[in-house]
Amino acid sequence: PGNRMTNLFKWRSGGLAATALSLLLAPFAAQAGIYKLTVDKVVIDTGDFKKEGIGYNGASPGPVLRFKEGEDITIKVTNNLDEDTSIHWHGLILPYQQDGVPDISYDGIKPGETFTYNFPAVQSGTYWFHSHSGFQEPDGAYGAIIIDAKKREPFRYDREYVVQLTDKHPHAGKRIMRNLKMMPDYYNRQQQTFGEFLSDSDKNGLDATVNDRMAWGSMRMMPADVEDLQGFTPLINGKGPAQNWTGLFKPGERVRLRFINSSAMTYFDIRIPGLKMTVVSADGNNVRPVKVDEFRIAVAETYDVIVRPTEDKAYTVFAASMGRSAYGRGTLAPREGMTAAVPGLAARPLLTMADMGMDHGN
């Protein structure tokens, strides 16, 4: 399974002859080819808005980098920005000097410079990479990593897709941080209303409702503080809901979906109406398979699931933000152009004092 040959042709250095030779020798050599990444300014189109961002090899998200467990990995990164950059290999076990965190593992990569990362692939699974400089990651500097296991995996599948999620806002990361520092609820578009105060008073009594609001006020919080940021468009593999990323399948195939949450702050609840998902891996580690209708993926987490669509129809991959303010949407389909119904968002949740660890009376 997988698309190793495609990735070799697209991302490994050298001409066709060298690539063909590397394919022939791959089973006999631990040394992998050399990957080349450039860090570039890019334009990100969400379907709702366009904005300038940062990407790799001219795109955001960057390429899917594919390795094999046991390989010696070499990646040359050239900084085409007018500011320092870095790449952190999230979740990989490697020497700290190769971890890509400025001021801890190295000095970062200066404008116009090339830095060569070299480390062994000592594990397998689904991971991702991103900048560790300023706000470059939420501005688009992220990509996916797949490391194929040396041994046969304990589950079967016929094809696979990376499903990389992020939350893209019209404002740049620096501007978002500046606004949040001025007002923590600057981007909260789901605050409680006076009408809700009246309905809560009818249901719980005026005194109890006033006391509840005052308790939240004393913490300088609100029950609607589920998400720090709203007004964003969730992306799946760089595509907004209207752009509809699509993965093809043949009915009866087992499809492995490698979910990666590369968001700045959004937790997503994932479901595919009409299909059970069998979770087989979490953060790159195989787990005892468990069937679920829905799962929650936190920031920076990865989950691998296997689905088996048997009917000749499309299925919606639905990723609702935890605050129910937005959703990402993709499609699994037998043919291009097919779509399925998109579920509506449920009512926005509210936090309770128990959620905050403050319900000491119970």
Side-chain angles (χ1 to χ4, degrees), residues 45-62:
D45 181 2
T46 71
D48 292 330
F49 58 87
K50 294 182 180 181
K51 65 177 293 185
E52 185 179 273
I54 297 173
Y56 297 113
N57 290 6
S60 175

Side-chain angles (χ1 to χ4, degrees), residues 217-298:
S218 67
M219 296 191 298
R220 297 184 180 181
M221 293 187 65
M222 293 176 292
D225 284 341
V226 177
E227 297 173 327
D228 294 323
L229 184 69
Q230 293 175 353
F232 60 89
T233 297
L235 306 183
I236 293 180
N237 294 337
K239 295 184 179 295
Q243 296 166 324
N244 189 26
W245 171 84
T246 300
L248 300 181
F249 68 86
K250 294 180 181 178
E253 285 185 328
R254 294 176 176 87
V255 183
R256 180 178 187 171
L257 302 175
R258 298 176 181 264
F259 285 93
I260 305 170
N261 188 356
S262 301
S263 296
M265 65 92 214
T266 304
Y267 286 39
F268 287 102
D269 293 326
I270 309 292
R271 57 191 171 107
I272 307 175
L275 290 179
K276 288 276 189 180
M277 297 178 288
T278 301
V279 180
V280 296
S281 179
D283 291 329
N285 300 293
N286 291 339
V287 299
R288 185 184 298 275
V290 56
K291 287 188 175 182
V292 299
D293 294 309
E294 181 175 297
F295 67 90
R296 175 167 290 173
I297 185 168

Side-chain angles (χ1 to χ4, degrees), residues 52-71:
E52 185 179 273
I54 297 173
Y56 297 113
N57 290 6
S60 175
V64 177
L65 301 181
R66 193 166 201 125
F67 311 114
K68 189 172 182 62
E69 184 182 5
E71 285 184 342

Side-chain angles (χ1 to χ4, degrees), residues 4 65-73 88-95 98-99 119-128 145-151 153 256 258 281-286 300 302 304:
R4 183 170 174 76
L65 301 181
R66 193 166 201 125
F67 311 114
K68 189 172 182 62
E69 184 182 5
E71 285 184 342
D72 185 19
I73 297 169
H88 169 63
W89 315 100
H90 197 105
L92 297 195
I93 302 170
L94 38 66
Q98 304 297 310
D99 199 38
F119 52 88
V122 300
Q123 64 207 99
S124 62
T126 303
Y127 303 95
W128 63 298
I145 298 171
I146 298 175
I147 304 178
D148 293 313
K150 185 181 300 184
K151 297 180 180 179
E153 293 186 285
R256 180 178 187 171
R258 298 176 181 264
S281 179
D283 291 329
N285 300 293
N286 291 339
T302 75
D304 290 24

